[in-house]
Amino acid sequence: MSPSFDPAAARADVLARIERAARAAGRSPADVTLVAVSKQQPWERIEPILAAGQRVFGENRVQEAMGRWEGRAEGLELRLIGPLQTNKAREAVAFFDVIETLDREKLARVLADEMARQGRTPRLYVQVNTGEEPQKAGVAPAEADAFIETCRKTYGFAIEGLMCIPPAGEPPGPHFALLAKIADGNGLAGLSMGMSDDFETAIRFGATSVRVGSALFGAREAPPGP
Ligand SMILES: *Cc1c(COP(=O)(O)O)cnc(C)c1O
């Protein structure tokens, strides 16, 4: 990344692109939330984005997020967008405002217990593995309806929406369309889909939040540890 990279200017540009994409789709730009994905970014790049008014951030690891945001999270909305292990559920419920990666019953059960214990109710999204990739988290599309029903009936969750990460190297449109169809069939309004390379397409397919990292902050540092 060039030393002159300006995250605040990048944010203004991304917001302008969100606005154009929303208007082109006949939607209100206010209906699309920009989630700034701050994982693996140094504080020098995050600070200008915060100063520019960004309040919603996404992180994919519980520990890393706590290290970055603890003591700085006042007035912010922090979203977990990475896979959640049940042994991190306690910290995730305590720390995040939104958990976007609910994808299995065991996790639902542990989250329900933690939410009851802590008296906190983070907003929840179900992650759908639209490309049915074995290495990727998320419930299979064919199992999504039943899983959403279990979340609602058995665990009493008010699911806010669905989240997906389309396979790399495939056109994302069909994956966004599939996620939107599953959401519609289940009366879910929230659609977390679209990243730096495809957020405008996602908005065309109805995204209500887009998760943008490198287009805002520049390329990420190497992931911590193996
Ligand atoms: C890292 C990440 C993003 C952001 O990716 P960019 O291509 O840098 O915008 C979005 N969503 C999830 C789930 C991620 O892990």
Side-chain angles (χ1 to χ4, degrees):
M1 187 180 73
S2 101
S4 63
F5 186 86
D6 178 349
R11 176 175 181 268
D13 178 60
V14 167
L15 285 173
R17 288 169 59 191
I18 289 172
E19 172 158 0
R20 274 198 300 276
R23 292 209 190 286
R27 305 181 54 207
S28 166
D31 293 341
V32 183
T33 299
L34 172 60
V35 179
V37 179
S38 46
K39 67 182 185 195
Q40 295 160 233
Q41 295 289 353
W43 190 250
E44 311 86 79
R45 293 192 202 161
I46 297 170
E47 205 159 34
I49 297 257
L50 264 177
Q54 182 67 33
R55 291 295 173 264
V56 185
F57 291 86
E59 290 280 350
N60 72 336
R61 290 172 178 231
V62 176
Q63 239 63 39
E64 182 193 334
M66 291 172 69
R68 179 170 292 115
W69 292 107
E70 232 165 15
R72 290 165 159 160
E74 181 71 36
L76 304 183
E77 177 180 309
L78 297 180
R79 297 188 175 207
L80 180 65
I81 61 171
L84 178 57
Q85 293 164 352
T86 49
N87 64 4
K88 301 270 171 60
R90 176 165 302 188
E91 285 164 312
V93 166
F95 190 73
F96 286 98
D97 303 292
V98 183
I99 295 172
E100 296 202 359
T101 51
L102 175 55
D103 66 352
R104 58 201 190 278
E105 184 157 6
K106 184 180 177 204
L107 180 59
R109 191 180 326 121
V110 175
L111 285 174
D113 287 349
E114 277 306 324
M115 287 162 65
R117 207 181 62 86
Q118 299 183 30
R120 279 183 55 92
T121 49
R123 291 148 52 203
L124 298 173
Y125 283 66
V126 168
Q127 181 175 357
V128 181
N129 187 357
T130 58
E132 303 189 59
E133 296 171 279
Q135 82 285 7
K136 205 166 265 177
V139 62
E143 282 150 29
D145 292 352
F147 182 64
I148 293 162
E149 161 118 349
T150 299
C151 286
R152 287 170 160 165
K153 295 254 165 74
T154 308
Y155 299 101
F157 293 154
I159 301 294
E160 182 167 304
L162 303 180
M163 179 270 215
C164 77
I165 310 169
E170 267 185 44
H175 296 275
F176 297 152
L178 175 59
L179 197 72
K181 182 165 170 263
I182 297 170
D184 191 47
N186 287 281
L188 292 169
L191 283 173
S192 171
M193 57 190 198
M195 322 203 309
S196 289
D197 288 339
D198 56 19
F199 66 85
E200 286 147 313
T201 305
I203 290 168
R204 183 146 40 87
F205 282 95
T208 58
S209 59
V210 293
R211 310 178 307 266
V212 180
S214 42
L216 284 175
F217 297 105
R220 282 181 283 279
E221 295 174 334

